[in-house]
Amino acid sequence: MVIYIGLLFMFIHISYSGIVPVEEAVSYAEAEAVAGGVAMLSCNTTPPVKEDMVYLIIWYKEGLSSPIYSYDSRDKSSKEASHWSDDRTVGGRVSFELGSGKYPARLTLQAVKDSDGGLYRCRVDFKKSPTRNQNVNLTVLLPPDSLAIINEKGDHIPNYILGPYPEGSSINITCIATGGRPPPRVTWWQENALIDEVYEKLPNRQIRNMLKLEKLERKHLNAVFTCQASNNNLVAPISSAVTLDMILSPLNVKILGENRPISADVKYNISCQAVGARPPPRITWIKGNNVLRNFKRVVSEDGNITTSIVSFTPSVEDYGKTLTCRVESHNPSDSDRVYEDSWKLNVHHVPIVTVTFGSKLNHSIIREGVDVYFECIIKSNPWVYKLMWRHNVSN
Ligand SMILES: *[C@@H]1O[C@H](CO)[C@@H](O)[C@H](O)[C@H]1NC(C)=O
Ligand SMILES: *[C@@H]1O[C@H](CO)[C@@H](O)[C@H](O)[C@H]1NC(C)=O
Ligand SMILES: *[C@@H]1O[C@H](CO)[C@@H](O)[C@H](O)[C@H]1NC(C)=O
Ligand SMILES: *[C@@H]1O[C@H](CO)[C@@H](O)[C@H](O)[C@H]1NC(C)=O
Ligand SMILES: *[C@@H]1O[C@H](CO)[C@@H](O)[C@H](O)[C@H]1NC(C)=O
């Protein structure tokens, strides 16, 4: 019993001297803050016994010989307590609030600097109970400085548009984050899905994540790929996004309407539509062996449908010829593919009739009494259904 009282006495005595007794268990906590942000260092100020009260709270920082903050409520109420902070270190950036309810007391440090990191000690002196010391290790996080997205040639991606790349190609895009402490996680996202979280360290405080996209498909057109770099949960990660542009083959080519007979010497507009090609393809028209020149191209607003309208006036000679609409795909892997649609022209015209002497007849030796015969040569589509011979009749 005597020993116990003696010990207790010694404890009280030491704690008022301001020196941390070596044998005292000092609690340890960790705190994180982002540079430029706010740090909160908490400290348990609740007296160990109910009828006791806080007298004095002093904050120290490891490496500094004098305190950085004090709260003094000796012989005052907590509202009248005097606050003091060290101008050379934390000055006006710091404030302290006693805890209430379930919130512990905390020292709040604004505009956190890199140099604010380190071990802090909060010393709480009670009116009756022994002094309590608590350590808080503040880690200052530095968000990454910048992100760069570069293509496989090592070029920065202009206007955040990646490509265009042909359908079927495989590409890789690289995201490089610079700076940050601890080194950030660098990840690739498509929409809200994480698609690549494998990154590697480079020299010069850089982290690289290379995203490989194999065999691009039509569905990847306008896909948005976002690179994110983050080293904490306190502030939003920095990110940068690129949109994938593609070169697409046509899905189909069609001359619009039905291939009905057309009339000679009448002007027609015939349309041909290419769907799904990107960028809008060149469309050419070929009739027989001739290229037609009189056409115009219309591209739908989304660029998905390209229509070419050719104007031409068929002639009798066009009967049986082929009218072809040919679409030139921009996709290099289509070099030996042909995208086209054709019509075989059925040109209607009025019968064209010529009359000649019979071919076996020598018309310079026609005399009375000899037989004469004539040939009627008809060119007509559709074929004639009635044929008449007349002699010396007008109309
Ligand atoms: C404080 O935390 C840092 C890492 O954030 C660590 O390196 C250091 O050792 C810690 N200090 C103490 C005293 O535990
Ligand atoms: C990235 O793409 C380029 C071009 O396609 C290729 O030469 C390079 O080998 C690729 N790099 C990796 C690591 O796949
Ligand atoms: C063909 O198109 C032109 C304009 O492109 C128009 O002026 C003309 O009326 C059209 N002709 C027919 C027969 O539709
Ligand atoms: C283009 O049109 C085709 C057919 O309507 C459709 O299947 C395809 O999704 C469209 N593509 C785009 C990029 O709108
Ligand atoms: C037609 O008859 C004349 C006179 O008999 C003759 O000179 C001429 O060679 C003949 N022509 C033909 C194509 O047989």
Side-chain angles (χ1 to χ4, degrees):
M1 204 52 180
V2 175
I3 296 169
Y4 175 73
I5 293 168
L7 248 166
L8 187 65
F9 179 77
M10 198 180 79
F11 213 142
I12 293 166
H13 175 77
I14 291 170
S15 62
Y16 274 97
S17 73
I19 300 161
V20 186
V22 191
E23 65 271 31
E24 190 196 338
V26 178
S27 70
Y28 174 83
E30 287 182 344
E32 284 188 343
V34 176
V38 176
M40 291 186 184
L41 309 179
S42 49
C43 178
N44 178 2
T45 58
T46 311
V49 288
K50 248 198 179 130
E51 58 276 15
D52 203 353
M53 62 181 285
V54 171
Y55 240 25
L56 186 63
I57 300 172
I58 304 176
W59 283 90
Y60 299 91
K61 187 174 181 225
E62 192 178 53
L64 301 176
S65 51
S66 51
I68 57 163
Y69 199 94
S70 70
Y71 165 95
D72 187 344
S73 64
R74 276 172 294 189
D75 308 317
K76 294 174 223 156
S77 75
S78 64
K79 283 212 178 74
E80 296 163 326
S82 54
H83 291 251
W84 168 89
S85 63
D86 176 31
D87 285 338
R88 289 163 307 168
T89 50
V90 288
R93 297 188 292 133
V94 74
S95 62
F96 177 76
E97 286 171 89
L98 265 195
S100 63
K102 55 185 167 177
Y103 298 103
R106 62 194 187 189
L107 187 76
T108 304
L109 195 54
Q110 309 280 347
V112 170
K113 300 183 209 166
D114 195 12
S115 59
D116 289 333
L119 194 63
Y120 290 75
R121 178 160 58 90
C122 155
R123 178 184 129 174
V124 187
D125 290 348
F126 299 100
K127 187 171 183 181
K128 294 183 202 148
S129 310
T131 290
R132 183 190 292 150
N133 278 282
Q134 296 158 69
N135 281 340
V136 185
N137 187 5
L138 174 65
T139 303
V140 178
L141 307 172
L142 302 177
D145 300 329
S146 63
L147 268 189
I149 299 181
I150 53 181
N151 64 18
E152 60 266 31
K153 289 186 212 130
D155 300 329
H156 281 262
I157 292 168
N159 306 321
Y160 306 104
I161 303 288
L162 184 61
Y165 292 104
E167 207 177 336
S169 54
S170 296
I171 62 165
N172 46 46
I173 32 175
T174 303
C175 179
I176 294 179
T178 305
R181 191 188 63 211
R185 253 167 66 81
V186 179
T187 49
W188 277 107
W189 300 73
Q190 186 179 358
E191 313 303 335
N192 290 319
L194 176 63
I195 53 172
D196 183 354
E197 53 180 339
V198 181
Y199 50 86
E200 58 188 326
K201 261 194 163 140
L202 301 179
N204 306 323
R205 298 165 59 237
Q206 292 191 320
I207 306 282
R208 169 171 71 188
N209 184 336
M210 183 188 284
L211 174 66
K212 287 183 192 166
L213 298 170
E214 307 276 349
K215 293 210 170 61
L216 292 177
E217 290 172 39
R218 185 171 287 274
K219 66 174 184 198
H220 290 116
L221 174 65
N222 294 332
V224 176
F225 296 97
T226 305
C227 173
Q228 226 176 51
S230 165
N231 62 356
N232 65 79
N233 294 324
L234 304 170
V235 294
I238 63 169
S239 68
S240 185
V242 288
T243 302
L244 184 63
D245 192 10
M246 293 186 68
I247 297 173
L248 302 175
S249 308
L251 285 169
N252 63 64
V253 177
K254 187 150 181 53
I255 299 178
L256 301 182
E258 238 185 285
N259 185 9
R260 289 186 217 270
I262 51 177
S263 302
D265 304 324
V266 175
K267 194 171 166 187
Y268 286 90
N269 291 342
I270 295 178
S271 299
C272 177
Q273 213 167 60
V275 175
R278 189 181 167 90
R282 223 166 79 95
I283 297 181
T284 51
W285 290 93
I286 301 133
K287 184 187 72 179
N289 295 320
N290 299 321
V291 174
L292 298 180
R293 305 267 170 217
N294 192 13
F295 60 85
K296 63 176 192 181
R297 191 177 79 154
V298 180
V299 179
S300 67
E301 208 164 312
D302 65 357
N304 197 19
I305 299 176
T306 306
T307 309
S308 179
I309 304 147
V310 71
S311 278
F312 86 113
T313 308
S315 64
V316 174
E317 286 70 42
D318 289 335
Y319 173 79
K321 286 186 185 167
T322 304
L323 178 70
T324 300
C325 154
R326 183 169 295 161
V327 174
E328 295 175 16
S329 171
H330 289 278
N331 188 347
S333 58
D334 282 339
S335 57
D336 49 4
R337 281 196 64 175
V338 175
Y339 294 92
E340 63 181 29
D341 190 20
S342 297
W343 275 0
K344 199 172 166 85
L345 295 178
N346 184 359
V347 180
H348 281 188
H349 56 88
V350 291
I352 298 164
V353 179
T354 45
V355 178
T356 60
F357 284 110
S359 54
K360 298 230 172 70
L361 207 65
N362 186 341
H363 57 82
S364 56
I365 53 167
I366 295 173
R367 318 179 289 277
E368 237 180 314
V370 303
D371 289 347
V372 177
Y373 69 100
F374 300 97
E375 285 172 4
C376 179
I377 300 165
I378 305 163
K379 189 175 164 82
S380 181
N381 179 38
W383 192 239
V384 294
Y385 57 87
K386 187 175 168 191
L387 185 76
M388 284 186 313
W389 287 94
R390 296 182 188 190
H391 181 232
N392 276 358
V393 189
S394 48
N395 309 327

